[in-house]
Amino acid sequence: MLTKTYFRRKLAQACGLGLVLCAAAACAPQQNVLTKEEIADGWQLLFDGKTLDQWKDYNGEELTMPWHVVDGCIQAKGDGSDLAGYIVTKKQYENFILDWDWKLSHGGNSGMIYHVVEDPYFKVPYVTGPEYQLIDNEGWEEVNAPNKLEEWQKLGVDYAMHLPDPDSLFVNPQGEWNSSRIVFDNGHVEHWLNGHKILEFEAWTDDWFARKHSGKWETAPEYGLARRGVICLQDHGSPASFRNLKIKELPRKAGREVELFNGKDLTGWEAYGTEKWYVDKDGNMVCESGPDKEYGYLATREYYNDFDLTLEFKQLANGNSGVFFRSFVEPPVKVHGWQCEVAPKGFDTAGIYESYGRGWLVQIPDEKEDILREGEWNTLRLKVQGDRVQTWLNGEEMVDITDARIGAAQGRIALQIHDGGGIKVLWRNFRLTTL
C-alpha cells in the first residue's frame, strides 16, 4: 500500500528536481543581451536575437541576401560566393571594440570585415575592408583536398596581411561556439580568440604599406585605407552562425600634425598616370605635364577625412591643377571625389568641383579672381570637417559650404595635373592637422 508519507516524499523530490532545473536555467548565460554594466560602459548590440533590422545588403538599401535568424543566431545559409552573400550594418563605425560568437559547419569559411566602403564602384567589400578570417582550417583542407590553405588564409589572420601567434590559438572543436574580438583604436589593431590576444599591429605604417603593396592587395589601391565604414558578415558558400554581436565605440584622437611632404622626396605619396612628379633642387614638389599630355595624380597613401590643410603653390606656365579631397582612385588614372580648384586667373581657383555627377558646386565671383597671384607663391587653405568645406586663398575666404554627399564620403588628398599639356606647378610647405 502506498502511504501518505510516500507521496509526500515523492512530491518533495519532484519539487527539489524542479528547483535544480530552474536554478540551472537561471545560471545559463543569456544570449544577445547586454548587462547593465555593459550598457553603462557604452556597449551596443548589433543583433537582438530576433530580427536583422540593423543589417542590409552590401551596396543595397534593404536586406535580400540569404541570411536568416534561427534559434537566436544570425545564420548564413551557405548560398554565397565571392561576388555575393554579404550583409552589412546600416551604421558606419570608426574606432571600436567588436565582440561576437561564431560557429562554422565542417570545412566552413566566413569572415568579419570592417571599415567597408559602400560605393557602386566597389563590387565586393573585401577590396576596401580588412577581414578577420573565420575558417575551419582542417575541415576546409579535407573538403577541398588536395588544395591547402596558405598561412595568410587561416583562422584568425588579418586576411593576406598579418598572421596570428600560433601559440595563442585556442580553438574549440568544430561545431562548437568560439568567441572573437577586434579592437580598432585609431590605427592600433588587435585580434582576439576565446579570450586570448592572437595578433596586433599598427595600420598605415611603412610596414603595413609594404605588406599591402607586395601581396594580394597590390591591385586594390583603396584596401584598408578607410578610417570608418560598415561592418560586414560574409557568406562564403558555407553555413555559418553568429550571435552576441556587440560593439563599443572608441573616441577619435584628433589634433595630429601630419607631415605630408618632407621637402626631399615623395615618400607618403602614390603617383597615377604618366605625367611627371618630382622634387627640385630647392625642395619644392613639382607637377609637370609629360609627353602623353594626359591627366595625372599624386595621391596621399593614407585617407584624411576631417582636416585643416595649408599649402603654398606657384603656377609656372599653365597652372591648371587642383587639390582633391575625400577621394579614391580608380586605376589606372581616375579619381572619384571633390576638388579644390587651382587654375589660371579667371578659372575659379579655390572653388569646389565634383569630379563625377554634379560638376561645379561653388565657383569664384569675378571680383575675387584677382586674389590669385600668377607666377608668384600663393597660400591655399582647405578645411574639411563633417559636411562643411571652407577655402581661403592668400588669407581671403573663398568658399564656405555644407554638403551631405561630401559629409558621407572619405578618402585621400590628391594633387592633379590637368590634361592638355604645358602644365607646371610648384608646391611647398604642406601643413595638415587632423580634426
Side-chain angles (χ1 to χ4, degrees):
M1 174 181 283
L2 299 176
T3 65
K4 291 181 180 180
T5 302
Y6 174 83
F7 285 110
R8 292 192 185 100
R9 185 182 305 118
K10 289 296 184 183
L11 179 61
Q13 291 173 346
C15 290
L17 178 59
L19 289 172
V20 170
L21 292 174
C22 290
C27 291
Q30 291 183 283
Q31 309 301 330
N32 306 305
V33 296
L34 297 175
T35 66
K36 292 181 179 179
E37 292 76 15
E38 287 176 323
I39 294 172
D41 197 31
W43 287 89
Q44 297 177 322
L45 286 176
L46 296 179
F47 172 58
D48 63 4
K50 301 174 183 178
T51 70
L52 292 172
D53 291 347
Q54 297 185 66
W55 299 80
K56 66 183 187 69
D57 296 352
Y58 173 64
N59 274 339
E61 297 298 326
E62 57 185 4
L63 185 65
T64 64
M65 290 290 108
W67 290 73
H68 53 186
V69 178
V70 178
D71 297 329
C73 306
I74 301 179
Q75 284 194 357
K77 292 184 178 181
D79 298 329
S81 65
D82 186 65
L83 295 177
Y86 303 96
I87 63 171
V88 300
T89 56
K90 293 180 179 178
K91 180 180 176 181
Q92 294 187 6
Y93 297 92
E94 185 171 358
N95 300 291
F96 56 82
I97 304 172
L98 173 65
D99 286 356
W100 74 98
D101 297 341
W102 55 273
K103 181 169 59 173
L104 301 178
S105 59
H106 178 67
N109 183 5
S110 185
M112 182 71 75
I113 312 174
Y114 62 93
H115 285 177
V116 170
V117 176
E118 291 189 284
D119 188 284
Y121 172 72
F122 301 115
K123 304 305 180 185
V124 291
Y126 59 77
V127 296
T128 60
E131 177 182 355
Y132 183 126
Q133 171 76 321
L134 301 173
I135 194 168
D136 175 16
N137 291 342
E138 295 180 2
W140 189 94
E141 293 185 344
E142 290 175 5
V143 171
N144 295 278
N147 296 323
K148 296 288 186 180
L149 291 171
E150 300 288 347
E151 291 302 314
W152 52 265
Q153 296 175 305
K154 291 185 177 181
L155 175 64
V157 300
D158 173 42
Y159 194 79
M161 288 287 284
H162 299 87
L163 305 182
D165 173 7
D167 294 332
S168 66
L169 287 170
F170 295 91
V171 188
N172 293 327
Q174 194 279 320
E176 295 186 10
W177 287 99
N178 291 274
S179 298
S180 287
R181 164 175 285 189
I182 296 171
V183 177
F184 191 94
D185 186 0
N186 293 275
H188 177 77
V189 186
E190 299 175 4
H191 285 193
W192 293 68
L193 177 63
N194 293 325
H196 299 270
K197 183 164 63 176
I198 60 175
L199 67 81
E200 65 180 318
F201 62 91
E202 300 296 325
W204 313 313
T205 61
D206 288 343
D207 174 74
W208 187 92
F209 280 103
R211 292 169 186 262
K212 173 188 171 181
H213 290 150
S214 63
K216 182 179 176 68
W217 312 120
E218 186 176 6
T219 57
E222 304 307 303
Y223 166 82
L225 300 184
R227 301 277 170 156
R228 66 175 188 271
V230 293
I231 292 168
C232 175
L233 292 177
Q234 181 186 51
D235 182 341
H236 210 310
S238 306
S241 299
F242 299 86
R243 69 183 186 191
N244 295 328
L245 290 92
K246 57 187 178 182
I247 193 165
K248 176 183 176 181
E249 295 188 73
L250 304 175
R252 178 195 305 169
K253 296 176 182 176
R256 180 167 61 102
E257 302 290 333
V258 178
E259 182 185 74
L260 287 183
F261 174 51
N262 61 21
K264 300 176 183 178
D265 55 39
L266 300 179
T267 297
W269 297 80
E270 297 173 349
Y272 295 88
T274 59
E275 308 310 294
K276 299 177 182 178
W277 301 93
Y278 59 94
V279 180
D280 67 15
K281 60 181 179 59
D282 296 319
N284 301 311
M285 181 189 291
V286 183
C287 69
E288 185 175 1
S289 296
D292 293 338
K293 300 179 181 180
E294 297 291 343
Y295 281 98
Y297 298 93
L298 186 71
T300 59
R301 67 180 186 178
E302 293 189 45
Y303 278 16
Y304 298 98
N305 297 332
D306 287 6
F307 61 84
D308 193 341
L309 169 67
T310 301
L311 57 82
E312 296 176 47
F313 67 89
K314 180 191 288 188
Q315 298 162 303
L316 305 179
N318 181 352
N320 198 344
S321 184
V323 181
F324 275 79
F325 60 95
R326 290 196 184 170
S327 302
F328 69 85
V329 175
E330 177 183 347
V333 193
K334 186 176 182 179
V335 170
H336 298 259
W338 293 267
Q339 179 185 22
C340 178
E341 182 72 21
V342 171
K345 187 172 292 187
F347 290 92
D348 302 293
T349 291
I352 302 299
Y353 184 86
E354 184 176 278
S355 65
Y356 59 99
R358 296 177 294 172
W360 280 107
L361 301 186
V362 182
Q363 291 183 269
I364 300 304
D366 291 343
E367 61 268 22
K368 287 191 172 184
E369 287 289 350
D370 286 337
I371 296 173
L372 176 68
R373 299 191 289 261
E374 289 188 301
E376 301 179 24
W377 285 104
N378 294 268
T379 300
L380 177 67
R381 181 183 175 195
L382 170 63
K383 184 178 180 181
V384 183
Q385 188 167 24
D387 61 1
R388 186 181 185 187
V389 179
Q390 298 168 271
T391 69
W392 294 262
L393 182 62
N394 296 323
E396 298 288 335
E397 184 175 83
M398 306 295 278
V399 168
D400 188 347
I401 63 167
T402 57
D403 184 84
R405 187 181 292 182
I406 293 176
Q410 59 180 319
R412 307 173 187 237
I413 294 169
L415 306 180
Q416 181 198 62
I417 299 175
H418 206 280
D419 69 348
I423 295 170
K424 187 173 184 179
V425 181
L426 309 183
W427 309 83
R428 70 182 185 187
N429 292 336
F430 291 75
R431 296 182 296 277
L432 183 144
T433 302
T434 62
L435 303 174

